[in-house]
Amino acid sequence: MNDPGLDQPIDDGAQRVDGNQDPEDASREEEQEGENVFLDPTHHYFYSTIFPLIAGTFGPMATAFNVCALIEHWRVSIPPGGTEEHGIDIPDPGWTVAVNSVSLVSAIVANFALLMNMGRRLRFTVAQPITIIGWYLTSFLLIVLLAATVRDLKLPAGEDRALNQAFYYAIMAAALYFIVATLMCFTVYGTWQEYYPKEFELSTSQRTLMLQTIILLVYLLGGAAVYAHIESWTFLDAVYWADFTLLTVGIGDYAPATHLGRGLLFPYAIFGIVFLGLVVGSIRALVLERGKKKLGARMVEKNREKVLQNLDNGAGKIKLTPISKAHPMTTNGKSERQRRADEFELMRKIQDSAASRRKWVSLFTSGGAWFFLWFIGALVFYKAERNQNWSYFESLYFAYTSLLTIGYGDFRLYSNSGKPFFVFWSLLAVPTLTILISNMGDTVIKAIKDLVLWLGEFTLLPGEGSARERVKRGAQRIRANRKDDGKVEEKAPGFLGDSDRHDPEKQEHHTKWGRSDRLTGALEKEELDQEREASDRGDLKERDIHHYHYLLVKEIRSVMKDLNDSPPRKYAYHEWAWFLQLMGEDENSSRSHRKAAATSNKEGRDLELQQAGINDDDSNEKRHEWSWLGARSPLMGETEEAEWVLERLSETLEKELKKQRDEKRRASPGEDEPVILSPTSDSGHKSSQVSEDTISKALDVGQTHPAENV
């Protein structure tokens, strides 16, 4: 969401020119830029966030494949009557091993530089050249070795020679290195064009994704090395076994035969599944939580622009032109309050429409990715296992049972090309399937659940009323679900659907507000006691001030309870009007309201923000004009409504307490300063003081529950 600028003066530009900008203003400006990030083009988000995360995930995977390509020889000799898996290694020339080792060292340095950059231990301008050059160099060296193996080191004629699994691991490593290096070039290009700062815009959980991936791959390769020694397997066959074991596919063509191997499987499998769950959970959080908010915010912005363009062209059914101060009523007889309510409801419809579209776009995108993996994987297995005479349908069957981790074991891979591809393919398939199931929970599974509940009213769980009434209630429920599509958020079953509870950032955020609840509770009681004392003394002004503070604290405590709501709480218009009234904004007055501008780029947004600040006729201060449909609307952006309201109410209370403290300091020099409530880090928000008129209006409305009066 965006700050509609209720109290923030627009003089930052002049202060920057003079070189004396207040640090608190700079902090507020950074927060404003972060809230307005949804107005940036989508490719900026991909350059600054998605591409680095892809590189941080697939870079270590490419290095793991590079290790597999180095450990074993690239060619084998097939004995008479044998297959590729019984092949005898043909030693590679020494210079190819040396070049392969150099490529691995270069890749490790590149990955380490990226990891240090994500951990903010190495500057972006230093780390990115090392990472990009290192990955491109590794890819080039591997391509040279692959070409040399195919051309210069030609296999002898006959069918008793074959390429080993290491050769195919080298192909996948070279391709991944080239792809992730190219993606990081786009990220660097974005910083060069100043689309975003020269640092990754990643959260703490996103920064640890690369480290989690490295831990999982090291664990997989380490376990493969141990079992290769215990069970007398080749290392790459052990990697294949470790992969389908940790992914719980269980094909069954390799299994521990020794007591030591079976005993070690107990801890190895359980810890491996835990590490895999961490990685899959982080990827799911990235796609469904961060990506969902970004995609949803962009869809809301696009819908908002279309609506505003239709209104400007006269195509809309309602007119939302702001009312001038000279004319308190619109041409169609609506007051300013009613016009603002129309804006608010229209914005809600825009949000609901965008939320519904986002869910189905996410479902079709994840479903398309899953079907792509299924059909393309089946095609590769069909070509790789040609010696087994698989049909394409049998390949589809094998790929399907592997994607769903069923693993009957009736079809097995024997080719040296099929096993490496299965390792890479399966590592992609598990998170893809998890994301697909989560997206189905928002749409298909929810519809099935509602259908089952509706059918239950006619069978095992009959409801009240006739059958006709139950059918009517079912139809009304379906329509209500469509209307509230943007308000309901289904989650995947199990720990994957409960990622918010384990998100360290959200835990820290909610804990911070939770600690403030006891402080606000004490402050609420103190303000109420001081109000009573002032009333007993007959000091009406002091009584009203303390009662205003009491209302602020009471609403802060109430909003705190909404932070943990799932789905996130969305306030009605009368609730928003009450909150804004407490912040010093009157929805009945047009003094700070304006027509929304359909701005689709950052330059247009900045122009709108500059035009929104005008001089007040009655003072030398500046005030903002804003619209519920504008870019500065509190309903825009990625911040939840409860969080936005809580931050602004806290800022208002902090300002009022600071004002009271200054008055007491002037009246009683040397007196101890009272504690100022500030649950946020945005202390000292520079803004104009709430006037006595604002306090009076808030007290008039707040004598009873705001929902009854506003």
Side-chain angles (χ1 to χ4, degrees), residues 49-60:
T49 304
I50 299 299
F51 286 176
L53 287 174
I54 293 177
T57 303
F58 287 93

Side-chain angles (χ1 to χ4, degrees), residues 512-531:
K512 176 180 65 176
W513 292 115
R515 289 195 299 263
S516 302
D517 183 62
R518 282 187 282 184
L519 175 61
T520 53
L523 186 58
E524 179 182 347
K525 183 178 183 302
E526 179 183 354
E527 292 294 338
L528 191 59
D529 293 341
Q530 292 180 357
E531 176 194 350

Side-chain angles (χ1 to χ4, degrees), residues 594-606:
R594 71 188 302 269
K595 179 181 179 181
T599 53
S600 59
N601 53 45
K602 198 168 185 177
E603 291 76 11
R605 182 270 313 270
D606 293 339

